[in-house]
Amino acid sequence: MTKHPAADDDRLPHAVTQLVTAFEQLGAEHKALAAEVEKTTARERRGTVNRMVECIAQAGYTLNHIVNMLATVHGLKVLGIDRQLSKDADGRDYSPLNSLGHPGETLYEAAGLIQAVAHTLGKAYTPTRKHPALARARCPQQMATVLSSLRAALDWVCADLAANQDVEAVDQYVPTLTFLSDLEDHVCRTVPAQSAGLTADEVAAAIRANPLIARAAAEALAASTT
């Protein structure tokens, strides 16, 4: 896990920035998949792509919620609010009115939701038996940014948890960081551009340079027509 030197009040803005980036970049993939659903007529194939659309949408909704949660945590920390209790007339803690905000608990919940987003995206790209080739990003550049941004955001949140001495929580999310890296490698691979082949001029030049090519081509064509 990356070591972050940022002060306590700097970590969460970094995490939020990464989550906002992930949210923004999800749009391209959702749009491409939604368009694919409209063009797909095969029932089972359409169902698979539609499931991917729903997973991407769910990831977006959850990211929205996480950003709001972390903004709340950041605000509570800046304002110095952390489970303050009411007081009775003698100045003792009075618990029946509950307490004010709990930044640590909310932060832990946010980390769990980032983990949930990771696995929702993993579900979107789980290969099916009949259509394994569908388990790829339609917009690999944007999805690579989504997954790397999620990884960075979780890393920052874990750094904040570690600063609060919650080392066990940090260790809990290491597999999720690895999962996001593996998912990026799996679904964001780009296919090398295919060569357009030789042009007519290049073929003619090759024949002129070596007449045997023309003879071989003629024999191959004759064989294919018999």
Side-chain angles (χ1 to χ4, degrees):
M1 185 171 297
T2 306
K3 292 183 179 180
H4 299 294
D8 289 353
D9 57 350
D10 289 337
R11 295 188 188 96
L12 293 183
H14 282 297
V16 169
T17 297
Q18 294 295 337
L19 291 171
V20 170
T21 297
F23 178 79
E24 291 176 340
Q25 295 301 305
L26 270 181
E29 184 75 359
H30 186 273
K31 183 177 181 180
L33 286 167
E36 188 173 328
V37 169
E38 295 303 316
K39 296 176 182 177
T40 303
T41 56
R43 180 178 177 181
E44 189 169 342
R45 185 183 182 93
R46 182 185 176 96
T48 297
V49 179
N50 195 56
R51 169 180 57 80
M52 298 172 76
V53 171
E54 292 172 354
C55 287
I56 296 295
Q58 182 59 52
Y61 299 147
T62 307
L63 283 172
N64 186 319
H65 184 50
I66 299 169
V67 168
N68 289 332
M69 291 178 69
L70 292 185
T72 298
V73 172
H74 180 63
L76 290 172
K77 287 190 172 188
V78 170
L79 294 171
I81 298 173
D82 189 355
R83 293 172 289 179
Q84 282 91 337
L85 292 168
S86 297
K87 307 292 181 181
D88 63 17
D90 297 319
R92 293 188 295 265
D93 288 340
Y94 183 72
S95 60
L97 296 183
N98 296 320
S99 63
L100 297 180
H102 186 344
E105 184 176 294
T106 306
L107 185 64
Y108 188 85
E109 183 180 352
L113 287 175
I114 295 175
Q115 184 180 53
V117 169
H119 289 290
T120 297
L121 294 176
K123 179 182 177 182
Y125 297 102
T126 299
T128 61
R129 183 174 59 84
K130 289 191 175 181
H131 301 292
L134 293 177
R136 57 173 178 80
R138 275 48 175 185
C139 300
Q141 182 176 349
Q142 285 84 355
M143 280 306 299
T145 300
V146 169
L147 297 171
S148 63
S149 295
L150 283 174
R151 197 165 59 246
L154 183 56
D155 209 5
W156 280 109
V157 170
C158 286
D160 207 57
L161 288 170
N164 294 322
Q165 309 303 316
D166 198 348
V167 178
E168 289 185 3
V170 175
D171 293 340
Q172 177 181 341
Y173 294 109
V174 170
T176 302
L177 296 171
T178 302
F179 176 81
L180 286 166
S181 294
D182 292 344
L183 187 61
E184 181 180 346
D185 291 340
H186 174 66
V187 306
C188 298
R189 289 195 301 264
T190 56
V191 178
Q194 298 296 315
S195 171
L198 295 175
T199 65
D201 289 341
E202 289 171 334
V203 171
I207 291 173
R208 286 194 295 269
N210 186 356
L212 292 177
I213 294 177
R215 184 184 303 172
E219 291 174 355
L221 288 172
S224 66
T225 58
T226 59

